[in-house]
Amino acid sequence: MPAMINRAWKLVARPEGAFKPADFQWTEEALPELVDGQVLVRQIYLSMDPASRGWAGSSPTYMPPVALGSVMRGFGLGLVEDSRHQGFKPGDYVQGLLGWQTHAVVDGQAITRFDRDPALPLEAYIAVLSHIGAAAYFGLLEIGKPKAGETLVVSGAAGAVGSLVGQIGKIVGCRVVGIAGSDEKCAWLKDGLGFDATVNYKREAVLSRLRRLCPGGIDVHFENVGGQVLDAALACIAVRARIVLCGFISQYNDFVPPPGPRFLGNVLIRRARMEGFVVIDYEDRYREAMGPLARWLAEGQLRYRTDVVDGLEQAPAAVNRLFDGANIGKLLVRVSDEPSR
Ligand SMILES: NC(=O)c1ccc[n+]([C@@H]2O[C@H](COP(=O)([O-])OP(=O)(O)OC[C@H]3O[C@@H](n4cnc5c(N)ncnc54)[C@H](OP(=O)(O)O)[C@@H]3O)[C@@H](O)[C@H]2O)c1
């Protein structure tokens, strides 16, 4: 039987500023034979994550840079087609770092099998029941420690993580203000997700609007973008505020980081706490988050939206949707068809 062909995007240049098509090379190569412990996965959905910009750079982040000439790193969901690992069999659904490719030959330890609830669309397992939901859940609840009646502000609010953070805040009983980059996004947050108020940071003066919307100060601020938005939020924090640093997407394409926030002194004056986190540190505890997230989905308390781009060929263009704000909700690339149910 002829060997199966794997189609992949390899990273061939370190991006300068935004990703360019020439940073990637399309390859079509025969898949290797499996050895003991390995699994062959057909990818169905590839997650487009802002972190990919850091992984493609030359400086180590919380993971080493992607080596030039290798398949671009990416989180994905797929179906096992062949297995020489006792924990997996053909037909199993799995998640993990499958990369920007149609098929992945991976060690069994590197992927996680999940049982699909037939009532849930498969997309839910990458938009919510994944590293995205885990980031929102642990970042907000363990680091932000929101309490009923408190004011929560979330930036990047109409994105994958931000839209879940705001809704979990509502479930906890917070008053939730979302910051996003268009009127369409703000309308979705209020009318579709039940946020109490919104700020369109591209059209409104963020600092004065936050002051008006949060007269008692911000108790929990969940930061996804950094820069001027974080600056404005720090100006408005309440005494004993918790500032959760999840992401700084506004700076990922910069050569030189911008000057630090102007109101950092408020962290001292208001006796606040600012703490960053990386979701992979919670990998051993994902199950703790998946139970409540799945229940909230089933109860209709948690909603999500996906922005699906068809075809792995589109991945280099699709990833930039995160940086120009074109996506609403979780950005995905559909690499292959879901199996019929
Ligand atoms: N710490 C962790 O473990 C962890 C895990 C997952 C994600 N993250 C971080 O969380 C953040 C959100 O990730 P995500 O996957 O949910 O992406 P996302 O929010 O779905 O997409 C990115 C959004 O960022 C906004 N944005 C882009 N450039 C911006 C700028 N210059 N200023 C303000 N907003 C800008 C855009 O929305 P607008 O239209 O509103 O501008 C865009 O839609 C990212 O910073 C990511 O790195 C961290």
Side-chain angles (χ1 to χ4, degrees):
M1 208 172 65
M4 276 176 68
I5 296 297
N6 182 34
R7 296 172 176 81
W9 282 111
K10 292 188 174 171
L11 185 75
V12 291
R14 301 279 173 216
E16 295 180 4
F19 280 116
K20 312 273 183 310
D23 298 332
F24 300 99
Q25 185 181 26
W26 179 259
T27 59
E28 301 194 0
E29 291 169 355
L31 278 162
E33 293 278 324
L34 294 188
V35 300
D36 283 347
Q38 287 186 326
V39 179
L40 170 65
V41 182
R42 169 170 68 86
Q43 185 149 227
I44 300 173
Y45 289 113
L46 168 64
S47 172
M48 293 278 99
D49 290 288
S52 56
R53 180 59 187 79
W55 297 337
S58 54
S59 312
T61 53
Y62 50 89
M63 282 189 188
V66 176
L68 290 181
S70 61
V71 175
M72 181 59 199
R73 184 182 292 144
F75 184 89
L77 174 162
L79 209 56
V80 172
E81 291 208 325
D82 196 3
S83 173
R84 285 186 61 178
H85 186 290
Q86 59 180 12
F88 301 91
K89 60 180 187 319
D92 284 347
Y93 283 108
V94 294
Q95 297 172 329
L97 286 172
L98 302 179
W100 289 25
Q101 56 189 343
T102 55
H103 295 80
V105 171
V106 284
D107 285 341
Q109 295 96 310
I111 50 174
T112 308
R113 196 182 65 80
F114 65 91
D115 293 321
R116 180 178 178 185
D117 175 347
L120 282 180
L122 195 55
E123 290 176 13
Y125 288 90
I126 199 152
V128 182
L129 302 172
S130 64
H131 62 305
I132 298 295
Y137 184 92
F138 291 113
L140 179 65
L141 298 181
E142 298 235 329
I143 300 178
K145 298 193 189 329
K147 294 192 275 297
E150 288 191 325
T151 295
L152 163 70
V153 173
V154 53
S155 63
V161 175
S163 58
L164 299 182
V165 166
Q167 294 178 84
I168 298 171
K170 289 302 297 176
I171 291 168
V172 171
C174 292
R175 202 174 145 266
V176 177
V177 177
I179 306 175
S182 74
D183 288 343
E184 184 192 0
K185 290 185 179 187
C186 289
W188 176 55
L189 295 176
K190 275 195 83 171
D191 306 336
L193 303 185
F195 282 43
D196 297 284
T198 56
V199 181
N200 176 345
Y201 76 92
K202 289 190 180 158
R203 209 172 46 71
E204 299 176 288
V206 181
L207 203 161
S208 55
R209 180 114 170 99
L210 281 180
R211 282 217 169 103
R212 230 180 13 257
L213 290 173
C214 311
I218 300 170
D219 299 297
V220 181
H221 178 68
F222 194 100
E223 186 55 63
N224 280 317
V225 308
Q228 291 177 4
V229 169
L230 174 60
D231 208 27
L234 286 174
C236 302
I237 51 173
V239 170
R240 303 270 174 227
R242 284 81 69 202
I243 300 127
V244 184
L245 301 182
C246 176
F248 279 77
I249 192 169
S250 70
Q251 298 171 20
Y252 294 169
N253 286 332
D254 290 351
F255 287 103
V256 180
R262 288 178 299 155
F263 300 103
L264 196 58
N266 268 353
V267 174
L268 182 160
I269 296 164
R270 309 263 158 84
R271 285 80 102 198
R273 189 167 51 78
M274 183 148 78
E275 186 176 340
F277 76 99
V278 177
V279 69
I280 53 174
D281 293 344
Y282 291 90
E283 243 163 22
D284 293 350
R285 297 179 52 200
Y286 273 16
R287 265 173 204 281
E288 273 178 54
M290 298 309 139
L293 289 169
R295 193 178 70 249
W296 294 331
L297 276 175
E299 292 169 355
Q301 293 196 76
L302 199 58
R303 300 194 186 116
Y304 67 93
R305 194 161 155 172
T306 54
D307 183 332
V308 184
V309 175
D310 264 308
L312 181 66
E313 297 85 345
Q314 304 304 322
V319 72
N320 279 326
R321 293 173 69 79
L322 297 165
F323 296 91
D324 59 25
N327 68 305
I328 302 187
K330 177 67 202 142
L331 181 63
L332 301 174
V333 170
R334 193 187 341 256
V335 178
S336 67
D337 290 336
E338 295 184 21
S340 47
R341 286 201 256 171

